[in-house]
C-alpha cells in the first residue's frame, strides 16, 4: 500500500519480528472465520491486538454512512486514554476531503506530528481536541470502492511506523473490511427476506379477501402453486393438484380452454373472459378464467402463468334465466310491463 503525500517526517525502518506476523495471521484467521453475528466482537478484538502489538493509544474504525457522513463504529483505547467514539458519530466527510483521492486509490495517510499541520487543515482541530500527536489511517476498500477507514493514533508521544508495521496494519484493515462487507451483505439479505415476507403476508391477506382462486403453473402447464380464500373453489385436494398437468386434472374441454388462454397470454401478455364448466361436490359449476404471465424464479428459466378463477355459476344461471325470459317476450304478442314492488 502506498503512502499519501501527507507525511511530515520519514517513517522508521525496523526489521519485522516473527511475532508480528504470527499476531496478524491470528487476527486475520479470527476475522475471516468469525460468524456474522459476532462481527463486532471480532473487530474489537482485532483492534485491541494490533493496538497492543504496535503500541498505539487508539485503534478505531470509521464507516461511510452516505455521501456526506461517516461514523466511528468501533474503538479500542489503551489504559488511561479517553474513548472518543461517542463524540465521533455523524462526522462530516469534509474532514477527510483532501485525503479522499488517496484513499480511493488505496493509499494510506500518515501524519507524524499533528501540531505541524497547517492551521487551515480541516482535520487539525478535531485531532488536537482528541489529543492526537501522530496518526496512521488505512482505507477500507469494498470491491475497489473506498467505504471506510481503520486508524491508529498515538496520544502520549509522537511516533513513526516501520514499513512492515504499515503492511501488517493494512492487512488487518483489509480483514476488518472483509467482515464488515460480509455483515452488510447479510443484513441486506435479511432485510430483503423481511420485505419479501411482509409483501407475501400483504398479498396473502388480499387474496384471502377475494372470492377467487389463484393458480400458478409452469411453462409446460404443470401446477406449481395455489391460493384461495374460498377452499370450495378447489375441485381437487391441493396435494393431488400440485405437480399435475392441466390435462391430468381437468376435463378435455376445460384443459383446451386453459391452453388457449396460455397461448393468448404468450402473444398478448394476458388473456381474460374464458368460461368453462366442472363437476363439483355441489353439482355442475361454471367458472371464468383470466391469465397473465408469471416471471421466472431464476434467470434463464421460462416464464409461467398465473390464473385467476372465479365461480360465476349464479351469475350464469341468472343470465340464462334472463335470456330465456327475453326469448319469451320476443315471441309474445301481448304487451308485457315490468314494474317494481311499489
Amino acid at each position: 500500500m502506498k503512502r499519501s503525500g501527507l507525511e511530515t517526517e520519514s517513517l522508521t525502518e525496523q526489521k519485522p519480528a516473527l511475532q508480528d506476523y504470527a499476531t496478524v495471521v491470528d487476527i486475520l484467521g479470527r476475522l475471516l472465520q468469525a460468524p456474522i453475528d459476532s462481527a463486532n466482537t471480532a473487530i474489537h478484538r482485532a483492534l485491541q491486538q494490533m493496538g497492543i502489538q504496535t503500541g498505539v493509544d487508539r485503534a478505531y474504525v470509521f464507516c461511510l454512512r452516505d455521501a456526506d457522513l461517516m461514523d466511528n463504529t468501533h474503538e479500542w483505547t489503551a489504559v488511561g486514554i479517553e474513548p472518543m467514539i461517542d463524540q465521533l458519530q455523524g462526522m462530516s466527510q469534509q474532514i477527510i476531503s483532501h485525503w479522499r483521492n488517496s484513499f480511493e486509490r488505496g493509499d494510506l495517510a500518515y501524519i507524524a506530528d499533528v501540531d505541524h499541520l497547517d492551521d487551515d487543515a480541516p482535520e487539525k482541530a478535531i485531532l488536537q481536541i482528541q489529543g492526537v500527536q501522530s496518526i496512521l489511517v488505512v482505507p477500507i476498500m469494498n470491491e475497489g470502492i473506498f467505504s471506510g477507514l481503520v486508524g491508529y493514533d498515538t496520544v502520549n508521544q509522537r511516533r513513526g511506523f516501520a514499513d512492515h508495521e504499515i503492511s501488517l496494519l493494512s492487512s488487518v484493515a483489509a480483514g476488518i473490511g472483509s467482515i464488515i462487507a460480509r455483515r452488510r451483505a447479510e443484513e441486506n439479505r435479511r432485510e430483503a427476506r423481511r420485505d419479501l415476507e411482509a409483501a407475501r403476508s400483504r398479498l396473502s391477506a388480499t387474496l384471502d379477501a377475494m372470492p377467487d382462486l389463484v393458480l400458478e403453473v409452469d411453462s409446460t402447464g404443470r401446477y406449481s402453486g395455489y391460493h384461495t380464500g374460498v377452499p370450495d373453489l378447489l375441485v381437487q385436494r391441493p396435494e393431488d393438484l400440485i405437480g399435475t398437468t392441466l390435462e391430468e386434472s381437468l376435463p378435455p374441454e376445460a384443459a383446451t380452454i386453459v391452453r388457449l388462454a396460455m397461448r393468448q397470454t404468450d402473444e398478448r401478455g394476458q388473456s381474460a373472459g374464458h368460461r368453462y364448466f366442472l363437476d363439483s361436490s355441489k353439482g355442475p359449476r361454471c367458472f371464468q378464467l383470466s391469465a397473465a404471465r408469471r416471471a421466472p424464479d431464476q434467470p434463464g428459466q421460462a416464464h409461467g402463468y398465473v390464473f385467476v378463477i372465479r365461480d360465476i355459476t349464479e351469475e350464469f344461471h341468472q343470465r340464462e334465466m334472463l335470456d330465456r325470459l327475453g326469448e319469451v317476450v320476443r315471441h309474445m304478442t301481448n304487451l308485457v310491463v315490468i314494474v317494481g314492488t311499489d
Side-chain angles (χ1 to χ4, degrees), residues 245-276:
T245 64
L246 296 170
E247 286 73 18
E248 291 170 340
S249 61
L250 294 173
E253 182 179 352
T256 299
I257 292 173
V258 178
R259 289 286 181 181
L260 171 62
M262 292 169 63
R263 289 195 298 272
Q264 291 182 350
T265 299
D266 289 337
E267 297 169 359
R268 312 170 189 172
Q270 60 182 7
S271 182
H274 300 278
R275 193 171 65 186
Y276 61 92

Side-chain angles (χ1 to χ4, degrees), residues 204-212 229:
S204 179
T206 300
L207 293 176
D208 285 342
M210 295 172 59
D212 299 318

Side-chain angles (χ1 to χ4, degrees), residues 265 269-271 290-294 304-307:
T265 299
Q270 60 182 7
S271 182
S290 299
R293 285 186 181 182
R294 178 182 180 276
Y305 305 87
V306 174
F307 300 138

Side-chain angles (χ1 to χ4, degrees), residues 215-218 221-225 241-246 249-250:
L215 291 174
E216 298 179 19
V217 301
D218 63 19
R222 192 175 298 276
Y223 293 103
S224 58
L241 184 66
I242 301 301
T244 63
T245 64
L246 296 170
S249 61
L250 294 173

Side-chain angles (χ1 to χ4, degrees), residues 32 56 69 82 94 139 186 264 268 293 312 320 325:
L32 296 176
V56 297
L69 303 177
E82 181 182 0
Q94 288 299 317
E186 180 60 26
Q264 291 182 350
R268 312 170 189 172
R293 285 186 181 182
I312 60 168
E320 276 192 323
L325 179 58

Side-chain angles (χ1 to χ4, degrees), residues 219-235:
S219 58
T220 67
R222 192 175 298 276
Y223 293 103
S224 58
Y226 79 97
H227 191 97
T228 181
V230 186
D232 290 345
L233 287 178
L234 281 169
V235 296

Side-chain angles (χ1 to χ4, degrees), residues 22-196:
T23 299
V24 170
V25 169
D26 178 63
I27 292 173
L28 293 177
R30 292 176 183 272
L31 286 171
L32 296 176
Q33 296 175 20
I36 294 301
D37 293 337
S38 301
N40 286 333
T41 301
I43 292 172
H44 281 296
R45 181 179 177 85
L47 294 176
Q48 179 187 39
Q49 286 183 270
M50 287 308 298
I52 294 172
Q53 184 75 15
T54 58
V56 297
D57 297 314
R58 287 194 192 97
Y60 48 85
V61 175
F62 273 85
C63 290
L64 305 189
R65 185 196 302 182
D66 49 35
D68 302 312
L69 303 177
M70 59 183 183
D71 299 309
N72 187 182
T73 57
H74 305 80
E75 181 189 50
W76 169 85
T77 59
V79 176
I81 301 300
E82 181 182 0
M84 289 291 167
I85 188 169
D86 292 339
Q87 303 175 41
L88 301 177
Q89 303 303 310
M91 300 292 293
S92 171
Q93 292 185 31
Q94 288 299 317
I95 296 174
I96 60 170
S97 59
H98 63 305
W99 299 356
R100 188 69 182 244
N101 290 337
S102 295
F103 287 156
E104 290 179 349
R105 292 193 302 267
D107 298 340
L108 60 85
Y110 167 67
I111 302 173
D113 190 342
V114 170
D115 291 338
H116 284 178
L117 289 172
D118 293 337
D119 290 338
D120 59 355
E123 74 277 14
K124 183 173 183 178
I126 188 67
L127 292 176
Q128 287 182 327
I129 290 173
Q130 300 174 66
V132 177
Q133 296 200 49
S134 301
I135 180 173
L136 173 68
V137 181
V138 181
I140 294 174
M141 310 299 290
N142 182 12
E143 297 183 352
I145 299 174
F146 170 55
S147 61
L149 54 89
V150 178
Y152 305 91
D153 296 346
T154 61
V155 175
N156 291 324
Q157 62 180 359
R158 294 190 300 274
R159 65 153 293 177
F161 291 89
D163 286 343
H164 78 276
E165 288 181 308
I166 292 174
S167 177
L168 298 178
L169 293 172
S170 298
S171 297
V172 173
I176 290 174
S178 176
I179 194 171
I180 288 175
R182 285 168 50 210
R183 183 178 62 182
R184 284 178 177 170
E186 180 60 26
E187 289 172 350
N188 290 337
R189 283 193 291 269
R190 290 176 180 177
E191 183 177 358
R193 286 196 292 268
R194 287 194 297 268
D195 291 344
L196 179 59

